[in-house]
Amino acid sequence: MRSFLRRSAARSLLVALATVGALVLPAAATPAHAAWGPAQPVTMQIRHYYPTGASVQLGWVEGTVQFDDGGSALRYNLTVCRQSSYMLPYLTINVNMYYAGGRKYSTFVTNVYPNYTGNATGQPCYSSTGTASGEFTSANFSNVEFLVYGSTFEGQSYVVKSQDRVLYNPY
């Protein structure tokens, strides 16, 4: 009877130690958040060219982007201004953009609609201005693409134009 009690006590002790080990080890093995790298500047100008050779500026974007040194997160802080665009300019963010067979591929992350709260009076902005900032994670992305959209009319046709900027993840 004593050997049965000793074996039961030993099993209970082993189960308790295994449970405590399972709870403690994953917390100790969790990596700390990676550090943010240096801010990289981003500038984009949306322009529409008419068949006559004339052009019009539709929107402007200026700001910074930071990658984390773990290679899987990004932070952005952008100012967007409406120049001659009929719609308020907005952005699309994609990762891992590449071309294959003359066709563009990428993974969609999000659309960004700036918070338009001000009006600029100097160049390059002379209309509504807004800000857009945020962070996102994506497993080991090689690049990030920012696309800004604006619109105008060409004759009676409504035209949506875009400008993109691709930044490569240095980590």
Side-chain angles (χ1 to χ4, degrees):
M1 181 78 172
R2 280 190 207 178
S3 64
F4 175 74
L5 290 176
R6 270 189 255 166
R7 280 186 291 206
S8 294
R11 278 189 208 135
S12 297
L13 181 61
L14 286 174
V15 168
L17 288 174
T19 303
V20 168
L23 293 173
V24 171
L25 286 178
T30 302
H33 182 275
W36 292 106
Q40 297 183 28
V42 175
T43 304
M44 293 183 277
Q45 172 71 68
I46 316 167
R47 185 182 298 268
H48 177 68
Y49 294 93
Y50 295 101
T52 62
S55 67
V56 62
Q57 295 175 332
L58 302 177
W60 173 264
V61 176
E62 188 170 46
T64 59
V65 171
Q66 288 179 284
F67 294 90
D68 81 329
D69 64 5
S72 62
L74 180 122
R75 176 188 296 172
Y76 58 91
N77 188 6
L78 306 170
T79 298
V80 181
C81 79
R82 176 187 198 178
Q83 291 171 314
S84 294
S85 180
Y86 281 89
M87 69 177 178
L88 289 170
Y90 71 95
L91 297 119
T92 295
I93 300 175
N94 301 316
V95 294
N96 297 330
M97 190 280 298
Y98 66 97
Y99 289 94
R103 190 167 181 183
K104 181 179 171 180
Y105 297 91
S106 62
T107 301
F108 173 80
V109 174
T110 189
N111 285 321
V112 177
Y113 299 95
N115 184 16
Y116 285 92
T117 57
N119 283 310
T121 57
Q123 291 293 334
C125 296
Y126 45 85
S127 186
S128 305
T129 61
T131 58
S133 59
E135 295 179 13
F136 69 85
T137 59
S138 183
N140 298 320
F141 58 94
S142 61
N143 63 48
V144 61
E145 176 188 37
F146 289 90
L147 284 147
V148 61
Y149 297 93
S151 64
T152 190
F153 281 90
E154 188 172 304
Q156 294 184 3
S157 299
Y158 182 71
V159 179
V160 175
K161 301 299 284 189
S162 66
Q163 175 66 47
D164 73 337
R165 187 69 63 233
V166 177
L167 298 166
Y168 291 87
N169 190 344
Y171 301 104

